[in-house]
Amino acid sequence: MSTEEPKRRPGGRSSRVQAAVFQAVRQLTAERGYGAFTVGEVAERAGVADTTIYRRWGTLEALLMEAVVNQLTVDSPLPSTGSLETDLRTYAAKVAADIHGPDGLAVLRTVTAALSAGPDGETARDQYLAVRADQIDQMLAPARDRGEKTPTTLDVLDVLLAPMYIRVLFGAGPLTPDYVNSLVDRLLSL
Amino acid sequence: MSTEEPKRRPGGRSSRVQAAVFQAVRQLTAERGYGAFTVGEVAERAGVADTTIYRRWGTLEALLMEAVVNQLTVDSPLPSTGSLETDLRTYAAKVAADIHGPDGLAVLRTVTAALSAGPDGETARDQYLAVRADQIDQMLAPARDRGEKTPTTLDVLDVLLAPMYIRVLFGAGPLTPDYVNSLVDRLLSL
């Protein structure tokens, strides 16, 4: 995040620039794979100056991860129906659909590649994970507040997300609805 | 695997070349990260000709993955004590120790990076997974043959390995003995 424009208004020029840059990143990632392009190519595709990107994001790595975090938080709001089981099944099906598509695989690759990208990458990865953990906790909080038996965020990571992520990363079979629901069953029976 | 030297003798020149090349790959991976070196650099470090590597492995990608598979199968034989629970706890502790170290993280990165490396990478990844799945099945087979309730290889992947892999890949906390044993408990209670 730039600290130079603390009063950015949503919907203003700054917001339009961000949307154009993130869209360019998503397109280039889908076309060429994670990070297989330059800041200059992102700038050209987005119709902005290179310096605009460098001033605002600093590095390609930081830009890539912020684009992913933005995509997740904007495109993947978590369900809140009043029933933990319904929320978890909806959420699990959504995650499965997301990570099976090219966008979702790009997200997983972004996060795992961030590990190899030094301190910038690790910071960006931790930012992604903090956003995701917050979202999951918000989904669990109502049931916890009602006094229901509720898994923790780490349970959700271990029992629900980790198997789906690893199966996609390892190419180890499709995420069928039956399989995804069996993971939710396992999570609810902890 | 080369098909040109079907009668390679273990302990012969070919075997010494392989050991030197694999060691060079492991060193370079540890020093610079996954794939951040050339076939020429591997050859120089191993004291062999570039052409020797190209003839035998074809691509850097294929070499990287075969080195990983070799490391896993040679360095990580699976336990076989006659007790499934003992075997699983020993195995889980070994995996945790392996993937916490720099070598293990290199393995995880190799496998996940293979996804981005096109058909060669996918073939190599599938080779790694087939070897690992075979080893796990060999560990489970005696208990299954004795008629004990036995998890499947995919259960081991989902419940035991996936959470450990994802926690390491995501930097989401240490793999303490208590944590690792709780995953084994969960696997045994399926």
Side-chain angles (χ1 to χ4, degrees):
Chain A
M1 288 281 179
S2 167
T3 53
E4 293 170 14
E5 308 176 36
K7 291 175 185 165
R8 282 206 306 256
R9 286 173 300 117
R13 180 177 179 281
S14 168
S15 168
R16 286 196 303 275
V17 165
Q18 176 175 297
V21 168
F22 285 173
Q23 185 178 12
V25 167
R26 281 201 294 270
Q27 287 175 354
L28 287 164
T29 300
E31 287 167 22
R32 303 195 200 163
Y34 174 77
F37 44 83
T38 64
V39 166
E41 289 170 318
V42 175
E44 190 184 346
R45 181 80 62 112
V48 304
D50 291 19
T51 48
T52 301
I53 293 181
Y54 283 117
R55 204 165 44 229
R56 183 134 161 196
W57 286 282
T59 65
L60 179 62
E61 198 62 45
L63 167 60
L64 289 174
M65 189 62 66
E66 200 178 314
V68 162
V69 170
N70 173 269
Q71 187 179 352
L72 281 172
T73 47
V74 171
D75 296 354
S76 300
L78 268 62
S80 178
T81 62
S83 155
L84 179 63
E85 178 173 350
T86 303
D87 287 353
L88 284 173
R89 292 198 193 283
T90 305
Y91 170 59
K94 178 75 166 61
V95 170
D98 283 351
I99 64 179
H100 247 174
D103 277 5
L105 194 51
V107 170
L108 290 182
R109 282 182 191 159
T110 300
V111 173
T112 54
L115 265 173
S116 309
D120 273 359
E122 286 185 24
T123 303
R125 179 200 63 188
D126 292 346
Q127 183 194 358
Y128 157 77
L129 293 171
V131 168
R132 216 57 183 141
D134 267 359
Q135 291 184 319
I136 293 170
D137 192 64
Q138 284 170 32
M139 180 176 61
L140 302 173
R144 198 169 53 226
D145 292 346
R146 289 191 300 269
E148 297 172 22
K149 196 171 62 126
T150 310
T152 66
T153 302
L154 281 174
D155 290 334
V156 173
L157 179 66
D158 284 347
V159 177
L160 193 61
L161 300 180
M164 290 200 281
Y165 289 168
I166 287 294
R167 285 202 177 193
V168 169
L169 285 170
F170 285 8
L175 305 181
T176 64
D178 278 356
Y179 171 68
V180 172
N181 274 315
S182 75
L183 296 177
V184 176
D185 292 342
R186 191 174 289 167
L187 180 63
L188 288 168
S189 71
L190 288 185
Chain B
M1 290 283 180
S2 167
T3 53
E4 293 169 13
E5 308 177 36
K7 290 174 187 167
R8 281 205 307 255
R9 285 175 300 116
R13 180 178 178 279
S14 169
S15 169
R16 287 196 303 275
V17 165
Q18 176 176 297
V21 168
F22 285 173
Q23 184 179 12
V25 166
R26 281 200 295 271
Q27 287 173 354
L28 287 164
T29 301
E31 288 167 23
R32 304 194 198 165
Y34 173 76
F37 44 84
T38 65
V39 165
E41 289 170 321
V42 174
E44 191 184 345
R45 181 80 63 112
V48 304
D50 291 18
T51 47
T52 301
I53 294 181
Y54 283 116
R55 202 164 47 229
R56 184 135 160 196
W57 285 281
T59 66
L60 180 62
E61 197 62 43
L63 168 59
L64 289 174
M65 189 62 67
E66 198 178 315
V68 162
V69 170
N70 174 269
Q71 187 179 350
L72 281 173
T73 47
V74 172
D75 296 353
S76 299
L78 266 63
S80 177
T81 63
S83 155
L84 178 63
E85 178 173 351
T86 303
D87 288 354
L88 285 173
R89 292 198 193 282
T90 305
Y91 170 57
K94 178 77 165 61
V95 170
D98 282 351
I99 62 178
H100 247 174
D103 276 6
L105 194 51
V107 170
L108 290 182
R109 283 182 189 161
T110 300
V111 174
T112 55
L115 265 174
S116 309
D120 274 359
E122 285 184 26
T123 302
R125 179 200 64 189
D126 292 346
Q127 185 194 356
Y128 156 78
L129 293 172
V131 169
R132 216 57 184 141
D134 266 359
Q135 290 184 319
I136 294 171
D137 192 64
Q138 283 170 31
M139 180 176 60
L140 301 173
R144 198 170 52 226
D145 292 347
R146 289 193 300 269
E148 299 172 21
K149 194 172 63 125
T150 310
T152 67
T153 301
L154 282 174
D155 290 334
V156 173
L157 179 66
D158 283 348
V159 177
L160 193 60
L161 300 180
M164 292 199 280
Y165 289 168
I166 287 294
R167 286 204 177 193
V168 169
L169 285 170
F170 285 8
L175 305 180
T176 65
D178 279 356
Y179 170 69
V180 173
N181 275 314
S182 76
L183 296 176
V184 176
D185 293 341
R186 191 174 288 167
L187 181 63
L188 289 168
S189 71
L190 287 185

